[in-house]
């Protein structure tokens, strides 16, 4: 292996394969709910928030915004309820880590929900889960009932005087609801149209216009460990501003697809080739390209995903993956790590992503609604042998006109993968056009 | 307006609806819309205008508020569907794992295209976007159940089982 890992520890998945971990008794045998006892009996809400700030953890949904800072924006006017909403609307292509965590170990999330809600002063919290995962919603509801029966939810939890109700809300199948204000609209029983910001949810633009924090499943689940071990201890894992561990969803042409919890800071090369993670490219094939952080981040060819243009090993950190900007870098994003070998047709893969964003655009902003439609159509005709030479620059032009011109980041998310595929694999688009047929 | 008299949840489902409404502050019962639409679809297979009007009456909101929501979210069927709706993932990672071939096989086997229902009313095929199971692709979903790591052989087994 190339790098020495400082802390090869698992925070969220240490006991995930233990038989019966989805039940509260087994979960508690492995240290579960200790964080609730500690936080509610020995710490003030502000002390919990302080530890989360010290941990340096950045939002694990994709944007990477510091979680403690997000919490500190929460307005606390007297007599107005505050809410914590867990974003379990995991829909970014390539990403399935939250699905895995909730399905296998629902109490990991619930414990985190309790300590996070306590820190924020929320007495009612919601887990908004994508509707397709209704079987996982059932698992969560069962676990919530167990937690309630044991006195970890409900009135006067563990005699602390703190009350919390926790509910699971099903979505209806819409990627856009992973955007926090669209999620709140959906939770209010409306179409998932993102809201203009400001006002920000944490101030007064939240759930039913009340101050609201929306955090990803993995971020919230991690707070229990931070309460138990302290923010400083968490910050020792990782490198620089990329602290802690990250769940990476690994898919595509690798020997061992699955979800891996890695300490931030291992090399991309180790992650792809080492046996404890992806285990290398499937037999007889070689690496062609990687989408490192979910479908919206720029695709990189093998040589750029393994090393930066300075010749340094690329690391699994926010900073290293984005080294070189979009010209030669990408983003950690949600950790949806899609690996492609030399058999992959980049044009076809880009078409599936273009089609995805066209389908998922809420239609509110014209650049996104129209632009994603045009990109989908143009990609389709290139893929099907009807492309024109000027189509490549047309795609780049449309992508540029969407980027930065929409209410929410879906527009950027739609533009980046198309622009990056052309940036790094222009020859494949040209080949399709010149030969008037599909490569694959 | 359509007649909603004939459409009524069974008592235990109605109780569930009232439980769901209690999850939100008073006057915010509209928040129950998506969960209740899921219950309605489980009961009647699809969200007909009559079903949507009934849901509106339960939540004391206008029918249009239900229509605009049901038409926004892809999980709600606004046309009649078969007994088993097979929703396959057409997004990148599933395609990398041979999804296109498996889905083509499924369509040929059932003799229908995406969006169609078999003449015996048993199966409907729909294509959907990423189901958050990319490492276990190709994937399709039938109701709440995920079928993962699909192969043509697995498709045969699943269809045989569901045809019984």
């Amino acid at each position: 292996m190339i790098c020495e890992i400082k802390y090869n520890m698992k925070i969220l998945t240490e006991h995930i394969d233990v038989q019966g971990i989805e039940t509260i008794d087994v979960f508690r045998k492995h240290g579960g709910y200790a964080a609730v006892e500690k936080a509610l009996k020995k710490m003030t809400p502000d002390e919990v928030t302080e530890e989360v700030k010290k941990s340096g953890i950045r939002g694990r949904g994709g944007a990477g915004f510091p979680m403690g800072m997000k919490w500190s924006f929460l307005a606390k006017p007297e007599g107005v309820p505050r809410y914590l909403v867990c974003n379990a609307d995991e829909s970014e292509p390539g990403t399935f880590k939250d699905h895995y965590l909730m399905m296998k170990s629902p109490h990991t999330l619930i414990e985190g929900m309790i300590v996070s809600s306590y820190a924020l002063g929320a007495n009612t919290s919601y887990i908004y889960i994508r509707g397709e995962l209704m079987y996982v919603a059932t698992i969560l509801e069962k676990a919530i009932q167990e937690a309630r029966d044991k006195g970890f939810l409900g009135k006067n939890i563990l005699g602390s005087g703190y009350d919390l109700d926790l509910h699971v809300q099903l979505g209806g199948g819409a990627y856009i609801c992973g955007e926090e204000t669209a999620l709140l609209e959906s939770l209010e029983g409306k179409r998932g149209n993102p809201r203009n910001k400001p006002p920000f949810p944490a101030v007064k633009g939240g759930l039913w216009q009340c101050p609201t924090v929306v955090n990803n499943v993995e971020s919230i689940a991690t707070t229990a460990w931070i309460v138990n071990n302290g923010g400083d201890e968490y910050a020792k894992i990782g490198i620089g501003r990329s602290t802690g561990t990250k769940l990476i969803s690994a898919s595509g042409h690798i020997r061992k697809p699955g979800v891996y919890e890695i300490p931030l800071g291992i090399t991309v090369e180790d992650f792809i080739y080492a046996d404890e993670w992806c285990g290398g490219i499937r037999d007889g094939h070689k690496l062609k390209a990687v989408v490192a952080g979910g479908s919206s981040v720029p695709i990189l060819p093998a040589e750029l995903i393994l090393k930066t243009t300075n010749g340094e090993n690329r690391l699994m950190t926010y900073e290293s993956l984005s080294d070189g900007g979009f010209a030669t870098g990408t983003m950690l994003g949600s950790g949806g790590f899609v690996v492609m070998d030399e058999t992959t047709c980049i044009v076809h893969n880009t078409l599936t992503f273009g089609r995805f964003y066209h389908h998922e655009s809420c239609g509110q902003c014209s650049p996104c609604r129209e632009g994603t439609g045009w990109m989908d159509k143009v990609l389709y005709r290139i893929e099907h042998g009807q492309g024109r030479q000027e189509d490549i620059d047309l795609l780049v032009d449309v992508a540029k006109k969407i980027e930065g011109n929409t209410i929410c980041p879906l527009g950027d998310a739609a533009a980046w993968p198309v622009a990056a595929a052309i940036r790094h694999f222009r020859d494949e688009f040209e080949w399709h056009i010149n030969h008037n047929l599909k490569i694959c | 307006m359509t007649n909603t008299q004939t459409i009524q949840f069974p008592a235990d489902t109605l109780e569930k609806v009232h439980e769901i409404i209690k999850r939100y502050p008073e006057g915010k019962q509209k928040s129950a819309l998506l969960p209740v639409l899921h219950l309605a679809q489980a009961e009647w297979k699809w969200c007909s205008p009559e079903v949507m009007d009934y849901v509106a009456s339960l939540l004391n909101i206008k029918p249009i508020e239900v229509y605009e929501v049901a038409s926004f979210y892809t999980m709600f069927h606004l046309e009649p569907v078969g007994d088993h709706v097979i929703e396959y993932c057409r997004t990148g990672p599933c395609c990398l794992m041979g999804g296109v071939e498996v889905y083509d096989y499924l369509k040929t086997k059932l003799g229908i295209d995406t969006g169609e229902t078999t003449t015996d009313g048993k199966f409907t095929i729909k294509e959907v976007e990423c189901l958050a199971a990319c490492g276990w692709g190709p994937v399709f979903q039938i109701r709440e159940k995920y079928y993962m790591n699909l192969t043509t052989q697995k498709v045969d087994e699943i269809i045989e089982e569901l045809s019984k």
Side-chain angles (χ1 to χ4, degrees):
Chain A
M1 261 197 270
I2 294 169
C3 68
E4 282 298 317
I5 299 157
K6 278 195 284 187
Y7 286 81
N8 191 11
M9 57 176 10
K10 292 186 168 43
I11 285 176
L12 297 171
T13 60
E14 188 183 357
H15 306 298
I16 204 157
D17 289 320
V18 170
Q19 186 81 24
I21 198 72
E22 72 281 4
T23 64
I24 198 162
D25 290 339
V26 176
F27 186 71
R28 288 184 74 191
K29 265 186 210 143
H30 291 86
Y33 288 94
V36 176
E37 305 247 6
K38 182 175 177 185
L40 270 59
K41 288 181 176 169
K42 296 185 186 146
M43 296 170 80
T44 65
D46 286 348
E47 284 169 348
V48 176
T49 303
E50 199 48 42
E51 292 306 319
V52 171
K53 273 191 201 161
K54 277 197 268 181
S55 76
I57 183 173
R58 293 162 69 171
R60 299 303 197 217
F65 191 80
M67 189 175 179
M69 197 186 293
K70 196 173 192 179
W71 282 16
S72 68
F73 293 152
L74 186 69
K76 296 175 179 170
E78 273 300 306
V80 179
R82 307 190 277 276
Y83 295 101
L84 171 65
V85 178
C86 172
N87 185 345
D89 190 60
E90 184 174 55
S91 309
E92 172 90 359
T95 317
F96 50 103
K97 65 187 178 73
D98 298 335
H99 177 181
Y100 173 80
L101 182 67
M102 294 186 289
M103 160 187 65
K104 301 265 282 186
S105 185
H107 287 288
T108 302
L109 172 60
I110 293 163
E111 183 178 17
M113 282 299 288
I114 299 169
V115 298
S116 300
S117 300
Y118 172 72
L120 298 168
N123 297 113
T124 307
S125 298
Y126 299 91
I127 299 171
Y128 180 99
I129 186 167
R130 59 178 299 176
E132 293 88 341
L133 291 179
M134 50 176 78
Y135 86 96
V136 180
T138 307
I139 292 170
L140 286 170
E141 276 171 347
K142 195 173 163 198
I144 287 171
Q145 187 58 48
E146 283 185 323
R148 195 176 291 131
D149 292 344
K150 298 276 184 196
F152 292 112
L153 283 169
K155 298 271 178 225
N156 191 20
I157 299 169
L158 307 178
S160 64
Y162 174 64
D163 305 336
L164 177 65
D165 282 321
L166 178 57
H167 304 289
V168 179
Q169 176 92 357
L170 276 181
Y175 167 74
I176 189 62
C177 292
E179 193 282 334
E180 62 179 12
T181 61
L183 186 154
L184 295 173
E185 286 284 298
S186 182
L187 186 43
E188 292 180 8
K190 301 175 200 158
R191 295 164 74 92
N193 289 344
R195 298 172 180 170
N196 264 309
K197 292 190 251 189
F200 289 92
V203 184
K204 57 179 178 181
L207 187 59
W208 304 302
Q209 304 304 312
C210 298
T212 303
V213 168
V214 182
N215 283 140
N216 170 261
V217 170
E218 184 185 347
S219 314
I220 291 174
T222 305
T223 59
W225 192 94
I226 293 171
V227 163
N228 283 330
N229 299 276
D232 288 336
E233 209 50 36
Y234 186 85
K236 285 182 190 165
I237 310 165
I239 294 177
R241 289 182 60 231
S242 294
T243 62
T245 66
K246 175 88 190 80
L247 296 177
I248 305 291
S249 319
S251 67
H253 299 143
I254 45 178
R255 287 210 177 95
K256 301 191 308 171
V259 176
Y260 298 101
E261 182 171 11
I262 61 157
L264 288 170
I266 65 169
T267 65
V268 172
E269 188 170 347
D270 280 347
F271 183 67
I272 296 174
Y273 292 100
D275 281 339
E276 55 261 67
W277 298 302
C278 301
I281 307 303
R282 62 180 178 174
D283 288 339
H285 293 279
K286 60 181 200 301
L287 179 65
K288 176 176 182 176
V290 171
V291 174
S295 60
S296 58
V297 311
I299 188 171
L300 287 184
E303 62 278 13
L304 283 178
I305 190 67
L306 297 175
K307 287 193 191 298
T308 67
T309 43
N310 299 329
E312 290 166 4
N313 288 319
R314 184 91 69 180
L315 308 180
M316 297 289 281
T317 63
Y318 293 96
E319 294 76 18
S320 179
L321 282 167
S322 60
D323 185 281
F326 276 6
T328 57
T330 181
M331 291 165 76
L332 178 62
S334 63
F337 198 90
V338 187
V339 180
M340 301 168 204
D341 70 17
E342 83 288 355
T343 65
T344 308
C345 170
I346 299 296
V347 176
H348 181 259
N349 190 68
T350 310
L351 168 63
T352 75
F353 289 167
R355 190 170 62 188
F356 173 86
Y357 290 105
H358 179 206
H359 185 263
E360 301 300 334
S361 171
C362 80
Q364 220 181 176
C365 311
S366 331
C368 175
R369 180 187 64 241
E370 302 302 322
T372 54
W374 280 108
M375 289 199 303
D376 182 8
K377 283 190 194 98
V378 174
L379 284 164
Y380 184 89
R381 78 181 178 215
I382 296 175
E383 161 74 1
H384 289 83
Q386 291 145 11
R388 305 162 200 167
Q389 206 53 246
E390 61 271 25
D391 279 349
I392 300 178
D393 288 332
L394 179 62
L395 282 172
V396 173
D397 186 49
V398 174
K400 263 192 206 144
K401 283 173 176 150
I402 301 174
E403 193 181 346
N405 291 319
T406 53
I407 290 175
C408 87
L410 191 144
D412 298 345
W416 294 341
V418 175
I422 294 172
R423 188 181 308 129
H424 298 298
F425 297 95
R426 193 180 181 102
D427 55 333
E428 286 197 31
F429 288 84
E430 285 170 350
W431 201 96
H432 270 76
I433 291 166
N434 293 338
H435 293 75
N436 287 331
L437 49 80
K438 295 168 71 171
I439 291 179
C440 54
Chain B
M1 284 307 286
T2 44
N3 178 15
T4 58
Q5 294 298 314
T6 51
I7 289 181
Q8 171 99 33
F9 276 133
D12 55 338
T13 313
L14 260 183
E15 200 175 307
K16 176 93 186 149
V17 170
H18 294 305
E19 256 171 50
I20 292 171
I21 292 172
K22 280 192 209 137
R23 295 173 186 171
Y24 319 105
E26 212 175 325
K28 305 296 184 193
Q29 77 282 358
K30 184 174 171 175
S31 284
L33 181 49
L34 269 71
V36 174
L37 276 172
H38 280 297
L39 292 176
Q41 189 156 286
E43 187 74 30
W44 294 289
K45 293 206 298 190
W46 67 291
C47 295
S48 66
E50 292 80 6
V51 165
M52 289 192 280
D53 291 349
Y54 172 63
V55 168
S57 71
L58 281 178
L59 299 179
N60 197 22
I61 56 178
K62 296 188 190 79
I64 183 69
E65 294 177 87
V66 182
Y67 306 159
E68 67 176 7
V69 163
S71 60
F72 183 85
Y73 297 93
T74 52
M75 289 182 75
F76 301 117
H77 311 311
L78 301 180
E79 304 278 339
V81 290
D83 297 337
H84 305 290
V85 182
I86 304 172
E87 295 174 297
Y88 70 79
C89 169
R90 68 176 186 182
T91 320
C94 276
C95 291
L96 289 178
M97 302 315 290
V100 175
E101 290 78 4
V102 171
Y103 309 143
D104 282 347
Y105 179 81
L106 171 73
K107 292 179 214 170
T108 308
K109 183 176 175 72
L110 293 178
I112 52 173
D113 205 347
T114 302
E116 296 177 349
T117 300
T118 52
T119 47
D120 63 2
K122 268 209 173 320
F123 296 100
T124 299
I125 299 179
K126 281 190 151 190
E127 56 181 4
V128 295
E129 296 295 352
C130 186
L131 290 171
C134 316
W136 313 304
V139 176
F140 62 55
Q141 171 167 37
I142 304 175
R143 281 289 263 294
E144 69 279 2
K145 194 167 162 59
Y146 272 60
Y147 296 84
M148 305 193 273
N149 299 306
L150 292 169
T151 58
T152 53
Q153 193 193 338
K154 273 197 184 175
V155 167
D156 284 339
E157 290 162 14
I158 294 162
I159 297 301
E160 190 184 341
E161 182 62 31
L162 293 175
S163 299
K164 279 178 188 165

